[in-house]
Amino acid sequence: MEYANHLNEYAPACSAETVDQEVARIREVARRNHNVEAYKFCYSAIDLTTLSWKDSVVSVTEFARKAAEFYQKYPHIPNVASICIYPSFVETVGLAVDGTPMRITSVGGGFPAAQTFLEVKALEVAMAVENGADEVDIVLNVGRMLTGEYDEAANEVEMIRSEMDPDVVLKVIIESGALKTPELIRRASLLSMLAGADFVKTSTGKIDVAATPEAAVVMCQAIRDYYEKTGRKVGFKAAGGVRTAEDAVLYYTIVEEILGKEWLTTDLFRIGASSAANNILSAIEGVEIKYY
């Protein structure tokens, strides 16, 4: 399918200077959200992540078990939205969280570089879903985006989407730190949504520049404009470098300011994090907690 022509239906991105001004404004507004209720919501929006070369069945089982036990140990705090792991550990997590509402997120499609055969990407995603993944995070082909091969990049997303049941959530990582400019970040976001993404996500967390508030502003503006044109709500996920409660609240406030409070649900807002979980828990409880 041709996707690049549809980009002409949308206004270009704001200038970098305008984006910086918007981020500065929202940083000030975010002060109102430094409270326990906002922290609790941010915690509940976490895709609790382990994507390490050291991951094993033993370590991932322990990681998922602690997440499952959280329901009993902290009943006054809503638990994280999902556990995010490599595809080979989907079944492992499923066994550990069985009987809980915990969702399972698998990265896929040749994560993190997406530099493999499209057939391999699609098969990996299909296998993750078959093993029990409720959600899949794939990477938009950054190389194709940088060379202007927009149709090719979007068609990869479309093909992978076609391999999944409609109820499986597809998050597309645009790797905003590699795209750099507001215009390219906007195009990547729009192309991902046009091709079937349920979420657009900032980063893999595997390159030097991960999530930034500037990229989040551009992406949320693209989500807003896409919704206004199509009526379809697409979620936003900040991932990579979200470490503190303050970081989480800033992204929460960006979503609130640009997309509105109706986007502040775990169906439409996520935070990809590992270290942030303990820090947000500490902010909620008012004492240092090292649960994970």
Side-chain angles (χ1 to χ4, degrees), residues 50-66:
T50 180
L51 296 169
S52 168
W53 59 271
K54 297 186 293 184
D55 287 342
S56 66
V57 170
V58 172
S59 69
V60 172
T61 297
E62 175 63 14
F63 185 73
R65 184 187 61 78
K66 292 203 78 171

Side-chain angles (χ1 to χ4, degrees), residues 54-273:
K54 297 186 293 184
D55 287 342
S56 66
V57 170
V58 172
S59 69
V60 172
T61 297
E62 175 63 14
F63 185 73
R65 184 187 61 78
K66 292 203 78 171
E69 291 175 351
F70 186 90
Y71 292 102
Q72 287 74 44
K73 295 190 175 182
Y74 292 90
H76 59 294
I77 300 174
N79 205 353
V80 297
S82 81
I83 296 176
C84 179
I85 37 44
Y86 281 113
S88 58
F89 296 112
V90 168
E91 192 170 7
T92 300
V93 171
L95 291 171
V97 304
D98 188 40
T100 77
M102 186 77 62
R103 295 180 68 81
I104 303 171
T105 297
S106 173
V107 296
F111 180 95
Q115 296 289 12
T116 188
F117 301 103
L118 178 54
E119 293 81 1
V120 173
K121 296 179 184 182
L123 179 59
E124 183 180 51
V125 167
M127 290 177 70
V129 172
E130 184 178 354
N131 281 356
D134 303 297
E135 308 181 357
V136 178
D137 292 16
I138 67 169
V139 184
L140 187 68
N141 193 311
V142 175
R144 291 193 182 279
M145 286 302 303
L146 293 174
T147 55
E149 299 173 88
Y150 301 145
D151 284 339
E152 291 82 355
N155 274 297
E156 287 193 13
V157 174
E158 179 188 7
M159 180 176 171
I160 293 170
R161 171 80 264 184
S162 72
E163 294 295 316
M164 302 163 57
D165 292 337
D167 60 339
V168 177
V169 173
L170 176 64
K171 307 190 198 90
V172 177
I173 305 162
I174 66 166
E175 202 67 285
S176 56
L179 301 178
K180 297 181 181 179
T181 68
E183 183 58 30
L184 206 48
I185 291 169
R186 180 172 171 84
R187 289 178 184 178
S189 301
L190 289 168
L191 288 167
S192 299
M193 291 185 281
L194 289 164
D198 299 304
F199 273 76
V200 285
K201 174 179 170 182
T202 53
S203 174
T204 61
K206 302 297 186 183
I207 69 170
D208 291 340
V209 179
T212 66
E214 291 76 16
V217 164
V218 175
M219 293 168 70
C220 287
Q221 289 172 341
I223 291 169
R224 177 197 63 200
D225 296 348
Y226 177 81
Y227 171 68
E228 289 176 354
K229 185 171 288 290
T230 68
R232 187 169 79 92
K233 290 181 177 178
V234 174
F236 168 75
K237 178 175 175 178
V242 184
R243 295 186 175 88
T244 67
E246 291 73 19
D247 291 337
V249 163
L250 178 56
Y251 289 108
Y252 169 103
T253 309
I254 288 170
V255 169
E256 180 184 38
E257 285 291 296
I258 296 174
L259 295 169
K261 291 184 182 296
E262 61 190 293
W263 252 262
L264 293 177
T265 75
T266 56
D267 290 333
L268 292 168
F269 175 60
R270 295 288 180 86
I271 298 167

